[in-house]
Amino acid sequence: MRFYPLLVCLSSVGLPLFAQTSSPAVTVSGGLNAYAGFYKAGGIPARNQPAPFGLSGAVTVTLPGGVSLPFSAVLGNQGASFRQPFNQFGVSPTYKWATAHAGYRNVYFSPFTLAGHTFLGGGVELNPGKLRLGAVYGRFNKAIASNLAEPDVIPAYGRTGYAVKLGYGKPGNYVDLVMLRAQDDSTSIGAVPLTAERTVKPAENLVVGATSRLLILKHITVELDAAVSTYTRDLRSSVVAGEGSSPIVRLFGQLITPRLSTQVTQATQAALGYQGKGYGIKVQYKRIDPNFQTMGAYYFQSDIESYAIAPNLTLLAGKLRLAGSYGVQYDNLAGNKNARTGRSIGSLVVSYNPATKFGIDIQLSNYGLSQQAGLRPVIDTLRLAQNNLSATVNTRYSLQKEDVMQVFTLTTTYQKLSDLNNRTASQTENNNTNLNLGYFYQQTTTGWGINGMVSYTQTQLPLAVGDSNRMVRFYGPTLGATQAFFEKKMTTSVNASYLFNQQAGVLGNVLTVSANGGYQVAKRQTISASLIYLYSHTGIQEQTFNELRGNLGYGITF
């Protein structure tokens, strides 16, 4: 495992960020966390750095009048060396109904326009009353030139863009109009290697969309997300003469230049729901054209059309809850693929809690996949027709007496992939069964606790050429204990699992041991340490390895 630091707040590592200074005019809250560790592996290539380390922090400055200035940053080594450390800084101060963005930010306007793409720049969001305004501008991609010393590095053009939002309403009941425009700088890098020339081209994108969430009569909800994207895949392609036949090109001709590589696509998702007392239903529809793309999002599935219905029901004074859904999905919307793939998806969730001590949850899902002829007829030997069934039953029984809590759990999971094509079934069908029996004991006053689990997993894999048995089994116990010391200022835990691995008639084992500890050295200072050892022996010499990793951390809040 490699460490990839992210731009996060320290609340994610358990450090409170709300301790304030005593100044009545300006308050500062936040925290810092530093960590350093080691890693050693034997029998396999190293999956982490030998000495990972890093420093993260989040600080919020509150000025008189309620102006809030949150800052967050991460410094650390990334990848296999310290050639290019990861450094990102950003701030989004808020005052009443106004929020500003500066630095590395992640802003969301709608799912098909600006949808969480990280950019370096600035922006503002204003919500006076029911008016909803927003605008951002910045660098969406950093230019990366080809490097002979690092042939694996994929070059990329520098990209800048902006997005604006105009809407009316309140959270949960609004209508917004959104526009995003971004463009690559074809001069930001030098010549692109021939190996990457097909995929690395300077591009341009204009997306216009609408998003809304409406609540009607407190029972009916209407959801709509729609967008039209004009995407030019190569800015060096020839310009198309005339205004073009696309309405978006005619309306926004000053912002986009139609070229031979320009494609106009659409995306829509909508839902209509009704929620009454103890029951409800929602109908959903989605259609995303082939190759639909926006530079304001990293990735989402395209070339799909789907319909779904999702009812829910509550009975027995809330003790029994049922929720289900059924839908169908198709691709090949343009009719230019050799085959059309259809999918059917159904699910059911049942939760029954007749008493505080006992409860049971049941989850069922069924996923079907089939093909129809497209441009060419589907050959029977290659026809894709599969069904994936998944079922989970989770039961629990708890006992609580004064300061002692005991919980018994039993979880069963079954998954099966069925191939409806007899010619390919022997190479694709598989099933998996998993059983877990657990016991948890905790003393709430002393911090002493133990836990134990016995697990069994059996997987039937497809038969390979020359194989007569593809059954794989994992089974064994897991034990753990926790204890608090020094009036709970120090917490410790130890866990160990020993699993037998049986595959192809060969018996192996996997041992995992971990120890964790934390100590509060002062009111706002903590020290943490962890040690993990893994030994894996499958019975085959080439697949035997061990790993040892440790970590020491220090955190302070103020």
Side-chain angles (χ1 to χ4, degrees), residues 108-114 125-134 165-178 209-216 220-226 269 271:
Y108 182 95
F109 282 172
S110 76
F112 298 132
T113 56
L114 181 60
E125 292 184 78
L126 307 175
N127 296 284
K130 294 186 177 182
L131 192 61
R132 298 164 55 89
L133 304 174
K165 179 183 72 173
L166 172 62
Y168 183 82
K170 294 184 177 181
N173 194 13
Y174 62 87
V175 176
D176 291 343
L177 300 178
V178 184
T211 178
S212 68
R213 300 293 184 269
L214 301 177
L215 180 61
I216 303 174
I220 301 175
T221 57
V222 178
E223 303 175 10
L224 174 65
D225 298 297
Q269 62 182 18

Side-chain angles (χ1 to χ4, degrees), residues 13-14 43 59 66 70 72 137 151 163 181 183 196 220 257 259 280 310 349-350 356 360 407 442 476 525:
V13 294
V59 177
S72 57
Y137 175 85
R181 186 183 185 278
Q183 181 177 342
I220 301 175
T257 301
R259 300 178 182 272
V349 177
V350 180
T356 57
I360 182 171
V407 180
Q442 185 71 47
Q525 301 180 55

Side-chain angles (χ1 to χ4, degrees), residues 14-28:
L15 299 179
L17 304 180
F18 302 103
Q20 297 182 347
T21 65
S22 58
S23 171
V26 178
T27 59
V28 179

